[in-house]
Structures are given as C-alpha cells and as structure tokens.
Amino acid sequence: MRPPRALGARVGLGVTGALVLAALLAPVLSPTSPEAIDLARELTPPGPGHPLGAGENGVDLLTHVLYGARLSLGVAFFTVALSAAVGTLLGGLAGYVGGPLDELLMRLTDVLLAFPGLLLALFLTAVMGPSLPHVVLALSATGWTGYARLARAQVLTLRGREYVQAARALGASDARILWHHLLPNAAGPLVVQATSALPGTLLAESSLSFLGLGAPPGTPSWGALVDQGTQYLLVAPHVALFPGLVLALAVLGFHLLGDAVRDALDPRASHHR
C-alpha cells in the first residue's frame, strides 16, 4: 500500500535535505582528503579508519561518496536550472509572439524530442570530451524542450486574461508583460516540472560517469565509483554497493519530493492519482 502523501513528503524532504547538507559539508565530514591513498588497505571492507571501506588504491570510500554527492547533485541542479531557464524563455516567447517564431521553435523541439535524450548526451560528450561543463550542456541539449512546451502552453492560456489586457492598455511593453505578468503566473507547473526532472537528470549524469563520459578520470562521482566497483564485485562488493545505494536513495528522495511539490502546487492533479 502506498504511504500517505504527507509521510512521503517528509521522507523526500529529509533524504534530499540530508544529502545536500552532506554534500555541502563534505570537507568537514570526510575522514580523509579525496586525493589520499592507503595502499596497505586497498579494497578492505568497512572498519576503523574507513567507515564504508576502502576502494581502489586504498581511497576512503566515504570520502569519495561525500565528494561524489557534491559533483552529482551539483551537475543535476545546474542542468535542471539551465534547461528550465532556456526552455521557459523560448517557450514563453513562442507562445506570446506566435506566428513563424512559434512554428520554428516548436518544430525544433519536435526534432530534438525525436532523439533519445541519453543517446544524444552520450554522442555530445563523446565529441566534446569528458568534463563537467560538457555534461551539463549535453544533458541540457534536450532537457529544455519539455519546459519550452509547457511554458508555451501556459502563456497561450494566460495571454488573454484581463490583467494582461489591462497591462497592455496601460502601455506596458511586450517584454514587461511576458516577464512580469505571464511567466510568474506560469511558474507553478514549471517548478513541478523542474523538481520532477531532478531524479532523471541525476541518473543520466551517473550513467555518463559510469561509461567514462562524465566527470574527468579521478574525480569522485557516484557513477564513476559504481563503474570502478564492478571490477571487484566478487572480492570487494562494498566498492560498488555503497555508491549505488546512495544514488538509489537520492533518486527515491527526489521522486518523493517531486510528488510533494506537485501535490502542493497542483492539488487537482493529486486528486486524480
């Protein structure tokens, strides 16, 4: 049976809050430096000195999980923020201006939506090379399309409202009407979209890092840690287990948080679930 929505919201908020706090406090909470190695204890299981065990070259796994949270969560947040900003601006312009601009932008979104997002991100990162800015750009290349379509639909619905007509009658420019009247009133669904996109973006970043196309080699990342641990599943399963569990916990937390935000900002949707 599905847990009550209030409980799911508390769990989601608690999990995501704890992960974000742990990422911010990684230098304080980490037992060692992320560059420190301990060859004598390579692949040792959890114990004194290494609470989650040691990985390849004896690196402390807890330290790398904490610093990996900084990278993975940071990339996810920046990607969603960039996608939302670009998509909202382009979609709002398309819906407000209409005509050839609307047709051009919507056909562009249709073309990009025809490509599987992760495959396009794989292609772009393979061409540009592994780096964090390239990962953000690659994931945003198709991520903005959903926000554009949603922003366009909201602006089309709102642009005929009385307050918009009143602002236009008072001499407000099109840019002011769009920026101060239409987009703020369309923010609710867009916030829901952004919150719901976080777990998928987190998984996509981890997938790229798992394949060696995300963070540069040697940079702590959840996906890269899981990839490293697959080599030692039979002798040191903890190397892949703990980063994988933290990643799964983060995805679950963001899913629950996204459901809570949707219920709070769109009560009608919650009644139909």
Side-chain angles (χ1 to χ4, degrees):
M1 185 173 67
R2 187 175 60 187
R5 295 190 186 99
L7 177 60
R10 293 192 188 98
V11 172
L13 185 60
V15 168
T16 55
L19 288 173
V20 170
L21 186 62
L24 293 174
L25 297 178
V28 177
L29 299 177
S30 300
T32 65
S33 165
E35 292 83 17
I37 61 175
D38 186 1
L39 295 177
R41 304 193 63 181
E42 183 177 21
L43 303 181
T44 55
H50 296 292
L52 297 185
E56 194 174 54
N57 296 324
V59 299
D60 182 70
L61 199 57
L62 175 59
T63 299
H64 275 225
V65 167
L66 290 172
Y67 277 88
R70 295 187 118 189
L71 185 147
S72 297
L73 294 178
V75 168
F77 284 131
F78 274 111
T79 300
V80 169
L82 179 61
S83 300
V86 173
T88 300
L89 178 60
L90 294 180
L93 283 173
Y96 186 74
V97 176
L101 178 62
D102 182 23
E103 186 69 19
L104 174 64
L105 290 175
M106 288 304 100
R107 296 298 74 79
L108 177 61
T109 60
D110 290 340
V111 170
L112 290 175
L113 286 171
F115 289 93
L118 186 57
L119 290 180
L120 182 59
L122 284 170
F123 171 75
L124 292 175
T125 50
V127 171
M128 295 186 294
S131 76
L132 297 185
H134 292 168
V135 171
V136 173
L137 290 175
L139 294 176
S140 301
T142 56
W144 66 270
T145 55
Y147 301 97
R149 295 177 72 92
L150 181 58
R152 175 181 178 270
Q154 291 294 310
V155 168
L156 286 173
T157 302
L158 297 171
R159 69 180 183 180
R161 297 288 177 87
E162 291 80 1
Y163 60 85
V164 177
Q165 297 175 4
R168 188 178 292 114
L170 290 172
S173 64
D174 290 337
R176 181 174 180 81
I177 291 173
L178 181 63
W179 187 255
H180 290 279
H181 297 283
L182 292 176
L183 292 182
N185 285 285
L190 292 168
V191 170
V192 173
Q193 172 92 354
T195 309
S196 301
L198 279 170
T201 306
L202 188 59
L203 279 176
E205 183 279 325
S206 297
S207 299
L208 292 176
S209 295
F210 180 84
L211 297 172
L213 296 173
T219 306
S221 167
W222 288 341
L225 290 172
V226 174
D227 175 46
Q228 183 186 102
T230 56
Q231 308 173 56
Y232 309 107
L233 285 177
L234 297 180
V235 295
H238 64 277
V239 178
L241 176 63
F242 289 118
L245 287 177
V246 173
L247 175 60
L249 186 64
V251 171
L252 174 61
F254 280 118
H255 269 302
L256 293 174
L257 182 62
D259 288 344
V261 172
R262 179 176 59 185
D263 291 343
L265 297 181
D266 189 5
R268 292 176 300 176
S270 65
H271 293 316
H272 293 293
R273 290 196 300 165

